[in-house]
Amino acid sequence: MTNTKNHKFDFQNKESVSGILIIIYFLFLPLLPVVSIVSFILLAIYFFFTGSFKSSLTRIKKDWGLKIFLLYFLLHVFGMFYSSNIHYGFLDLQTKLTFLLFPLVLSGMFFDESLFIRIKNYFIIICSITFIILLITSLYQYIQSSDSGSFFYIKLSHGYHPTYLSIYFCLALLFVLEKIFKYPSEYPKLILILLSLFLFTGILFLSARTSTIVTIFCIVFFPIFILGKKLFTNRIWFLHGLIVLISTSMFFGFLHLNNRFNQVEEAIVANENSIPADTITQEAPNSTNIRFHLWKNAVQLIGRNPLFGVGTGDIKEELVSIYTENNYEYGIKERISPHNQFLHTGVILGITGMVLLAIYFLFPLYFSFKEKDWLYFFFLIIVLLNAMTESILERQAGILFFTAFNTCFYLRLRFRNSIN
């Protein structure tokens, strides 16, 4: 570990510039990710020219967690050596480039608590503003069409994927809950409670099923982990119970407006009735039964290429091939991914990739649990659970979000330990 005092001294004059650029990155991430990308490019250029890259390499050499983060990207590079579709492979590497760059660049920054507080505050603000803009846009569409569906799911997200926006809002909600329960005397509780319910409303309207359930899980358990026994030694348990009661009531009430969970029940019933393979194409596709078929095909494809997968560039062709073999017309037409990050990685990189991805999550999960960094722990839980129903680390919206926050959380925890 690099000496903390020297490290802080080296970057003292650069802290304001780098801090501004990283705050700009998070500030524009939900609405204008292109600005986030530009800000990170400027940050990378800045650190390369200021000589901080050497300090980053020194830190990476001494830290197993950072090595794991980089190795996940390098394994995708390795997957290019046995890929036929080099063009698609390079596009995939380009999309995943921040898996490499964020650890390299950000390990040269000094993450003090004040910077991280600013990041959290600005992210709460931008997520709230994002939901307001989406509501206003949907209201305009509703006035034009009188379609109440304008306020739900894809029609509300207006070109953004509802799952990723929901994940953004969920993390912002965690930041608000941290203020309510960890720092109860520093912030006005009523405003924060209303803000948390506002963000939860955004998640309900976006109607991404997994994200909604994960958010409720966080609302119930995150304060318990933060406070521990203190939750039951003062009246704050009443506040926690009130927020849980209101949130769950909102959830069940919202089901009467837009219930996407009935698709899950229908798909389970259809699966229990053992629909023959040759009638799959007759089944009306929805986001639940589609996933069942995608997962079955992905598992079959992994079984044929168990060790290293089909390669970084060949996933589309190989999936279409097995969809064709199994007469899954929707998969053939849409050339759709497995919608499960572990299966997606397994198709590309085999069991080797799946194991490394598991380590990618489990190492910081264990580390954050051990150090009682519950914010980082629940951030990882949010991404991990959503990765079960979405290839969350394949789209730019998920990659930019995860690689940035994961690296920041990890480095903040490592710096905190070095200081202590």
Side-chain angles (χ1 to χ4, degrees):
M1 185 69 68
T2 307
N3 183 275
T4 305
K5 293 182 179 179
N6 292 337
H7 196 273
K8 186 173 182 178
F9 176 80
D10 289 342
F11 292 95
Q12 203 166 24
N13 296 327
K14 308 167 189 175
E15 187 177 330
S16 59
V17 176
S18 59
I20 289 171
L21 289 173
I22 196 65
I23 286 172
I24 290 174
Y25 178 93
F26 288 110
L27 185 59
F28 286 92
L29 188 58
L31 275 178
L32 293 171
V34 64
V35 177
S36 298
I37 293 173
V38 171
S39 70
F40 180 70
I41 291 173
L42 292 175
L43 181 66
I45 294 172
Y46 179 74
F47 271 98
F48 276 108
F49 275 96
T50 53
S52 303
F53 186 65
K54 295 180 181 178
S55 298
S56 296
L57 291 179
T58 301
R59 177 167 291 277
I60 290 169
K61 287 179 182 178
K62 298 181 179 181
D63 193 297
W64 275 102
L66 294 173
K67 287 190 181 78
I68 293 169
F69 298 162
L70 297 178
L71 187 59
Y72 183 70
F73 176 81
L74 295 177
L75 189 60
H76 283 80
V77 175
F78 173 75
M80 289 290 292
F81 287 97
Y82 51 96
S83 293
S84 301
N85 192 336
I86 302 300
H87 176 70
Y88 183 82
F90 274 117
L91 290 177
D92 188 58
L93 289 181
Q94 181 181 330
T95 304
K96 292 186 171 75
L97 193 58
T98 53
F99 278 101
L100 175 71
L101 292 181
F102 262 108
L104 280 176
V105 173
L106 295 189
S107 1
M109 290 182 61
F110 185 81
F111 275 84
D112 62 353
E113 194 62 26
S114 63
L115 173 60
F116 204 71
I117 289 172
R118 291 196 296 272
I119 290 172
K120 291 187 288 186
N121 289 341
Y122 282 116
F123 196 70
I124 292 170
I125 293 170
I126 192 58
C127 285
S128 302
I129 292 174
T130 299
F131 182 39
I132 292 172
I133 292 174
L134 295 178
L135 283 176
I136 293 172
T137 308
S138 288
L139 178 60
Y140 175 77
Q141 291 186 349
Y142 173 74
I143 294 172
Q144 300 295 317
S145 64
S146 299
D147 178 16
S148 60
S150 300
F151 294 100
F152 307 117
Y153 198 47
I154 293 176
K155 290 185 178 180
L156 174 68
S157 62
H158 302 292
Y160 297 91
H161 197 296
T163 295
Y164 297 97
L165 282 176
S166 296
I167 293 171
Y168 294 176
F169 290 3
C170 184
L171 182 60
L173 177 56
L174 274 192
F175 293 159
V176 176
L177 291 176
E178 182 192 39
K179 293 179 183 297
I180 295 173
F181 292 101
K182 192 172 182 179
Y183 310 104
S185 61
E186 297 183 22
Y187 302 96
K189 286 192 183 66
L190 180 58
I191 294 176
L192 291 177
I193 292 172
L194 293 175
L195 183 56
S196 67
L197 295 176
F198 178 71
L199 288 168
F200 183 60
T201 302
I203 294 169
L204 291 177
F205 274 56
L206 286 166
S207 305
R209 290 184 299 262
T210 302
S211 297
T212 303
I213 297 301
V214 171
T215 302
I216 295 173
F217 173 85
C218 291
I219 291 172
V220 173
F221 290 102
F222 182 59
I224 295 175
F225 276 75
I226 286 179
L227 296 171
K229 294 180 180 179
K230 293 180 181 179
L231 180 65
F232 306 101
T233 57
N234 52 46
R235 294 181 181 179
I236 204 164
W237 65 266
F238 177 78
L239 180 59
H240 176 237
L242 181 64
I243 293 175
V244 171
L245 178 62
I246 295 175
S247 300
T248 51
S249 299
M250 289 171 61
F251 169 71
F252 286 108
F254 186 80
L255 293 180
H256 295 288
L257 295 176
N258 184 46
N259 185 4
R260 294 188 65 248
F261 287 88
N262 54 16
Q263 293 181 6
V264 179
E265 182 180 356
E266 293 170 1
I268 292 174
V269 171
N271 190 60
E272 289 176 349
N273 291 335
S274 301
I275 297 176
D278 59 359
T279 64
I280 286 177
T281 55
Q282 301 174 15
E283 184 180 0
N286 60 55
S287 61
T288 300
N289 59 42
I290 287 172
R291 281 175 169 81
F292 285 165
H293 299 313
L294 296 177
W295 295 344
K296 289 178 183 178
N297 282 276
V299 169
Q300 186 176 346
L301 188 54
I302 293 170
R304 296 179 182 180
N305 306 273
L307 191 57
F308 293 112
V310 302
T312 303
D314 294 350
I315 181 170
K316 292 291 185 181
E317 288 81 1
E318 294 293 338
L319 283 174
V320 169
S321 176
I322 202 162
Y323 295 153
T324 303
E325 180 181 327
N326 293 329
N327 194 32
Y328 184 39
E329 292 185 5
Y330 183 86
I332 299 169
K333 179 182 177 182
E334 300 295 331
R335 297 172 62 87
I336 196 167
S337 72
H339 277 60
N340 175 296
Q341 185 58 56
F342 285 89
L343 293 179
H344 193 115
T345 302
V347 170
I348 294 175
L349 302 171
I351 295 175
T352 304
M354 295 175 74
V355 170
L356 182 58
L357 180 60
I359 295 172
Y360 198 121
F361 280 105
L362 292 177
F363 181 83
L365 265 174
Y366 167 77
F367 190 54
S368 58
F369 183 86
K370 180 182 176 183
E371 300 296 330
K372 294 182 170 51
D373 188 340
W374 302 124
L375 197 58
Y376 188 18
F377 181 80
F378 272 81
F379 161 77
L380 292 166
I381 292 294
I382 291 170
V383 178
L384 182 59
L385 293 180
N386 278 281
M388 298 302 172
T389 57
E390 194 71 46
S391 298
I392 196 170
L393 302 181
E394 302 302 322
R395 285 183 177 231
Q396 193 175 70
I399 295 171
L400 293 177
F401 168 80
F402 176 71
T403 54
F405 268 115
N406 182 61
T407 307
C408 288
F409 272 120
Y410 184 79
L411 290 172
R412 167 179 168 265
L413 183 55
R414 298 301 283 177
F415 273 120
R416 189 181 72 185
N417 285 345
S418 65
I419 291 172
N420 294 335

